[in-house]
mmCIF file of all heavy atoms in Angstrom:
data_model
loop_
_atom_site.group_PDB
_atom_site.id
_atom_site.type_symbol
_atom_site.label_atom_id
_atom_site.label_comp_id
_atom_site.label_asym_id
_atom_site.label_seq_id
_atom_site.Cartn_x
_atom_site.Cartn_y
_atom_site.Cartn_z
ATOM 1 N N ILE A 373 17.934 -84.292 9.309
ATOM 2 C CA ILE A 373 16.495 -84.522 9.205
ATOM 3 C C ILE A 373 15.766 -83.466 10.027
ATOM 4 O O ILE A 373 16.063 -83.272 11.209
ATOM 5 C CB ILE A 373 16.113 -85.933 9.703
ATOM 6 C CG1 ILE A 373 16.781 -86.993 8.834
ATOM 7 C CG2 ILE A 373 14.603 -86.119 9.700
ATOM 8 C CD1 ILE A 373 16.489 -88.420 9.284
ATOM 9 N N GLY A 374 14.814 -82.801 9.403
ATOM 10 C CA GLY A 374 14.027 -81.789 10.089
ATOM 11 C C GLY A 374 13.119 -81.087 9.107
ATOM 12 O O GLY A 374 12.984 -81.496 7.953
ATOM 13 N N ASN A 375 12.495 -79.991 9.545
ATOM 14 C CA ASN A 375 11.556 -79.280 8.676
ATOM 15 C C ASN A 375 12.293 -78.396 7.668
ATOM 16 O O ASN A 375 13.522 -78.371 7.616
ATOM 17 C CB ASN A 375 10.545 -78.481 9.504
ATOM 18 C CG ASN A 375 11.210 -77.422 10.374
ATOM 19 O OD1 ASN A 375 12.158 -76.760 9.973
ATOM 20 N ND2 ASN A 375 10.703 -77.244 11.590
ATOM 21 N N SER A 376 11.532 -77.652 6.891
ATOM 22 C CA SER A 376 12.120 -76.857 5.804
ATOM 23 C C SER A 376 13.022 -75.739 6.297
ATOM 24 O O SER A 376 13.819 -75.198 5.525
ATOM 25 C CB SER A 376 11.007 -76.271 4.932
ATOM 26 O OG SER A 376 10.363 -77.275 4.186
ATOM 27 N N ASN A 377 12.928 -75.368 7.559
ATOM 28 C CA ASN A 377 13.798 -74.326 8.090
ATOM 29 C C ASN A 377 15.252 -74.786 8.184
ATOM 30 O O ASN A 377 16.149 -73.976 8.446
ATOM 31 C CB ASN A 377 13.308 -73.883 9.470
ATOM 32 C CG ASN A 377 11.961 -73.187 9.399
ATOM 33 O OD1 ASN A 377 11.662 -72.487 8.429
ATOM 34 N ND2 ASN A 377 11.132 -73.365 10.408
ATOM 35 N N LEU A 378 15.488 -76.084 7.990
ATOM 36 C CA LEU A 378 16.859 -76.599 8.000
ATOM 37 C C LEU A 378 17.526 -76.498 6.632
ATOM 38 O O LEU A 378 18.712 -76.782 6.502
ATOM 39 C CB LEU A 378 16.882 -78.071 8.434
ATOM 40 C CG LEU A 378 17.064 -78.362 9.926
ATOM 41 C CD1 LEU A 378 15.875 -77.854 10.713
ATOM 42 C CD2 LEU A 378 17.246 -79.856 10.162
ATOM 43 N N ALA A 379 16.783 -76.086 5.615
ATOM 44 C CA ALA A 379 17.317 -76.091 4.253
ATOM 45 C C ALA A 379 18.563 -75.223 4.124
ATOM 46 O O ALA A 379 19.556 -75.635 3.501
ATOM 47 C CB ALA A 379 16.243 -75.637 3.269
ATOM 48 N N ALA A 380 18.530 -74.028 4.699
ATOM 49 C CA ALA A 380 19.689 -73.131 4.601
ATOM 50 C C ALA A 380 20.890 -73.716 5.329
ATOM 51 O O ALA A 380 22.033 -73.603 4.863
ATOM 52 C CB ALA A 380 19.333 -71.760 5.165
ATOM 53 N N ILE A 381 20.649 -74.353 6.481
ATOM 54 C CA ILE A 381 21.734 -74.974 7.240
ATOM 55 C C ILE A 381 22.348 -76.114 6.447
ATOM 56 O O ILE A 381 23.576 -76.252 6.350
ATOM 57 C CB ILE A 381 21.216 -75.473 8.601
ATOM 58 C CG1 ILE A 381 20.805 -74.298 9.479
ATOM 59 C CG2 ILE A 381 22.267 -76.337 9.309
ATOM 60 C CD1 ILE A 381 20.131 -74.704 10.777
ATOM 61 N N ALA A 382 21.493 -76.969 5.875
ATOM 62 C CA ALA A 382 21.977 -78.104 5.079
ATOM 63 C C ALA A 382 22.816 -77.613 3.903
ATOM 64 O O ALA A 382 23.842 -78.223 3.557
ATOM 65 C CB ALA A 382 20.798 -78.936 4.592
ATOM 66 N N LYS A 383 22.403 -76.509 3.303
ATOM 67 C CA LYS A 383 23.149 -75.961 2.164
ATOM 68 C C LYS A 383 24.503 -75.435 2.599
ATOM 69 O O LYS A 383 25.523 -75.679 1.936
ATOM 70 C CB LYS A 383 22.331 -74.855 1.506
ATOM 71 C CG LYS A 383 22.951 -74.317 0.227
ATOM 72 C CD LYS A 383 22.035 -73.298 -0.439
ATOM 73 C CE LYS A 383 22.649 -72.796 -1.741
ATOM 74 N NZ LYS A 383 21.751 -71.796 -2.412
ATOM 75 N N ARG A 384 24.541 -74.738 3.740
ATOM 76 C CA ARG A 384 25.822 -74.209 4.228
ATOM 77 C C ARG A 384 26.789 -75.322 4.596
ATOM 78 O O ARG A 384 27.998 -75.206 4.399
ATOM 79 C CB ARG A 384 25.587 -73.296 5.440
ATOM 80 C CG ARG A 384 25.008 -71.944 5.090
ATOM 81 C CD ARG A 384 25.126 -70.977 6.257
ATOM 82 N NE ARG A 384 24.306 -71.365 7.393
ATOM 83 C CZ ARG A 384 23.052 -70.970 7.589
ATOM 84 N NH1 ARG A 384 22.460 -70.192 6.693
ATOM 85 N NH2 ARG A 384 22.383 -71.346 8.661
ATOM 86 N N LEU A 385 26.250 -76.408 5.153
ATOM 87 C CA LEU A 385 27.101 -77.523 5.577
ATOM 88 C C LEU A 385 27.340 -78.535 4.460
ATOM 89 O O LEU A 385 28.099 -79.487 4.658
ATOM 90 C CB LEU A 385 26.453 -78.237 6.774
ATOM 91 C CG LEU A 385 26.258 -77.418 8.058
ATOM 92 C CD1 LEU A 385 25.584 -78.265 9.130
ATOM 93 C CD2 LEU A 385 27.588 -76.874 8.569
ATOM 94 N N SER A 386 26.659 -78.337 3.305
ATOM 95 C CA SER A 386 26.770 -79.267 2.172
ATOM 96 C C SER A 386 26.393 -80.691 2.591
ATOM 97 O O SER A 386 27.107 -81.656 2.302
ATOM 98 C CB SER A 386 28.188 -79.238 1.577
ATOM 99 O OG SER A 386 28.508 -77.952 1.091
ATOM 100 N N ILE A 387 25.267 -80.793 3.292
ATOM 101 C CA ILE A 387 24.758 -82.078 3.772
ATOM 102 C C ILE A 387 23.343 -82.258 3.236
ATOM 103 O O ILE A 387 22.546 -81.318 3.273
ATOM 104 C CB ILE A 387 24.748 -82.129 5.314
ATOM 105 C CG1 ILE A 387 26.162 -81.944 5.880
ATOM 106 C CG2 ILE A 387 24.161 -83.451 5.811
ATOM 107 C CD1 ILE A 387 26.186 -81.805 7.393
ATOM 108 N N PRO A 388 22.982 -83.437 2.745
ATOM 109 C CA PRO A 388 21.601 -83.663 2.275
ATOM 110 C C PRO A 388 20.595 -83.492 3.411
ATOM 111 O O PRO A 388 20.895 -83.796 4.568
ATOM 112 C CB PRO A 388 21.628 -85.113 1.776
ATOM 113 C CG PRO A 388 23.057 -85.437 1.553
ATOM 114 C CD PRO A 388 23.832 -84.626 2.535
ATOM 115 N N LEU A 389 19.399 -83.008 3.061
ATOM 116 C CA LEU A 389 18.324 -82.796 4.031
ATOM 117 C C LEU A 389 17.137 -83.677 3.688
ATOM 118 O O LEU A 389 16.674 -83.672 2.537
ATOM 119 C CB LEU A 389 17.889 -81.329 4.026
ATOM 120 C CG LEU A 389 16.559 -80.989 4.731
ATOM 121 C CD1 LEU A 389 16.649 -81.273 6.223
ATOM 122 C CD2 LEU A 389 16.166 -79.530 4.477
ATOM 123 N N TYR A 390 16.664 -84.442 4.669
ATOM 124 C CA TYR A 390 15.396 -85.167 4.523
ATOM 125 C C TYR A 390 14.364 -84.405 5.333
ATOM 126 O O TYR A 390 14.495 -84.254 6.547
ATOM 127 C CB TYR A 390 15.502 -86.609 5.016
ATOM 128 C CG TYR A 390 14.238 -87.396 4.754
ATOM 129 C CD1 TYR A 390 14.008 -87.945 3.502
ATOM 130 C CD2 TYR A 390 13.269 -87.566 5.740
ATOM 131 C CE1 TYR A 390 12.836 -88.655 3.232
ATOM 132 C CE2 TYR A 390 12.103 -88.269 5.480
ATOM 133 C CZ TYR A 390 11.893 -88.809 4.229
ATOM 134 O OH TYR A 390 10.731 -89.500 3.958
ATOM 135 N N ARG A 391 13.324 -83.923 4.665
ATOM 136 C CA ARG A 391 12.338 -83.061 5.312
ATOM 137 C C ARG A 391 11.311 -83.889 6.079
ATOM 138 O O ARG A 391 10.685 -84.786 5.521
ATOM 139 C CB ARG A 391 11.657 -82.173 4.273
ATOM 140 C CG ARG A 391 12.599 -81.113 3.705
ATOM 141 C CD ARG A 391 12.090 -80.551 2.396
ATOM 142 N NE ARG A 391 12.961 -79.503 1.893
ATOM 143 C CZ ARG A 391 14.100 -79.723 1.236
ATOM 144 N NH1 ARG A 391 14.503 -80.958 1.000
ATOM 145 N NH2 ARG A 391 14.837 -78.701 0.809
ATOM 146 N N LEU A 392 11.149 -83.546 7.344
ATOM 147 C CA LEU A 392 10.223 -84.253 8.224
ATOM 148 C C LEU A 392 9.746 -83.279 9.287
ATOM 149 O O LEU A 392 10.518 -82.456 9.779
ATOM 150 C CB LEU A 392 10.936 -85.445 8.869
ATOM 151 C CG LEU A 392 10.076 -86.553 9.493
ATOM 152 C CD1 LEU A 392 9.203 -87.220 8.438
ATOM 153 C CD2 LEU A 392 10.962 -87.597 10.167
ATOM 154 N N GLY A 393 8.492 -83.370 9.666
ATOM 155 C CA GLY A 393 7.955 -82.477 10.697
ATOM 156 C C GLY A 393 7.121 -81.367 10.082
ATOM 157 O O GLY A 393 6.576 -81.487 8.992
#
Side-chain angles (χ1 to χ4, degrees):
I373 298 178
N375 61 39
S376 290
N377 294 326
L378 268 65
I381 293 173
K383 186 175 182 180
R384 285 194 294 269
L385 298 179
S386 299
I387 300 173
L389 166 64
Y390 185 82
R391 290 161 177 80
L392 198 62

